[in-house]
Amino acid sequence: MEESCKPCTGEDLEEILEEVWTALEQRNETPAAGARVTAAGISDEQRERLVSEGLALHSDRDLVLTEEGFLKARDVIRSHRLAERLLHDVLNLNSEEMERSACRFEHMLGNDAADSVCILLGHPRSCPHGRPIPPGDCCVAGETMLRPLVVPLTELDTGETATVAYIGTRDNARLSYLTSLGVMTGRPLELVQRRPSYIVKIDESTVAFDDAIAREIFVRPVHRKKREARGWRRRFRWRDGRS
Ligand SMILES: [Zn+2]
Ligand SMILES: [Zn+2]
Ligand SMILES: [Zn+2]
């Protein structure tokens, strides 16, 4: 996926802040309170709005982000990029749909909802474009709970039990095939073998899946011990190529 992560366009203050944040990143500056915002890309009217809302201060011909402006910008960027991950990884949307929806999601995700998405996805560090996702409170707390709540079947250890969370496919035929085998949301299962194919025990029957199908079955592991989670962190890398 392309490296850019475009800010949403709109007249909303949140979108203007997004623009400001992205511009700072593009200049390789770490967005922070006190960061200087050049006039480029921001209209006079937008500058006045940022200042009148206490989100920025005038400084010569530029603006400087206030603490409040920084925090608000950080939250909207975090919501936008978490939404991208959710829409891309979980809902399998193509990049155009992902962008369109992320621009709406970011305004709907409050901090608590953003944290829930973050926990669900295992505290991802970057969006699908590779841009950093500002960490939230959950990420700090998450240091002791490293494994995502929901993982692909392929991440289970042999003998581990889990319940089916969702099937990550847009292929209806495959979905009904899996349903006919009893692989449905909320169903408990146990992974009994990983190679040469994934063998899963559901109720009293065993079913085999190849790697491609196993990757589309997302499960919520039942037992999560800290010791296992630590070892697991070493071998698991979120699909962002950065961490
Ligand atoms: Zn992005
Ligand atoms: Zn956005
Ligand atoms: Zn988090």
Side-chain angles (χ1 to χ4, degrees), residues 93-121:
L93 297 189
N94 63 36
S95 39
E96 201 182 309
E97 286 175 290
M98 175 182 82
E99 276 320 306
R100 237 195 341 260
S101 305
C103 287
R104 293 212 297 271
F105 258 65
E106 70 188 20
H107 306 295
M108 297 171 349
L109 283 185
N111 287 351
D112 286 351
D115 282 357
S116 299
V117 171
C118 192
I119 291 165
L120 174 81
L121 299 176

Side-chain angles (χ1 to χ4, degrees), residues 20 30 38 55 59 66-67 69 94 96 98 116 139 147 154 169 176 184 188 196 201 214 217 221-222 235:
V20 166
T30 308
T38 53
L55 303 172
S59 169
T66 61
E67 178 75 14
N94 63 36
E96 201 182 309
M98 175 182 82
S116 299
C139 305
R147 195 176 195 183
T154 52
T169 182
S176 36
M184 291 178 275
K201 198 164 145 196
I217 302 171
V222 174
R235 68 181 163 84

Side-chain angles (χ1 to χ4, degrees), residues 146-201:
L146 298 163
R147 195 176 195 183
L149 292 177
V150 173
V151 296
L153 184 64
T154 52
E155 293 294 333
L156 289 186
D157 289 322
T158 310
E160 199 172 3
T161 52
T163 53
V164 178
Y166 57 87
I167 311 298
T169 182
R170 311 184 85 180
D171 181 341
N172 276 328
R174 183 168 287 179
L175 195 59
S176 36
Y177 164 71
L178 288 171
T179 306
S180 74
L181 295 174
V183 182
M184 291 178 275
T185 301
R187 272 294 175 89
L189 55 77
E190 182 190 340
L191 184 69
V192 295
Q193 180 187 304
R194 293 174 59 87
R195 276 171 219 291
S197 52
Y198 291 87
I199 297 185
V200 163
K201 198 164 145 196

Side-chain angles (χ1 to χ4, degrees), residues 7-27 35-52 55-58 61-65 69 73:
C8 307
T9 49
E11 288 309 304
D12 202 284
L13 272 175
E14 292 184 340
E15 273 124 14
I16 302 169
L17 285 170
E18 235 184 313
E19 185 95 43
V20 166
W21 187 284
T22 314
L24 286 169
E25 283 183 336
Q26 279 166 356
R27 299 206 310 262
R36 189 165 285 270
V37 179
T38 53
I42 306 172
S43 70
D44 286 350
E45 194 198 332
Q46 289 172 336
R47 290 159 60 85
E48 287 315 316
R49 282 180 63 199
L50 288 175
V51 172
S52 67
L55 303 172
L57 298 169
H58 286 293
R61 296 177 58 223
D62 295 337
L63 290 179
V64 165
L65 265 188

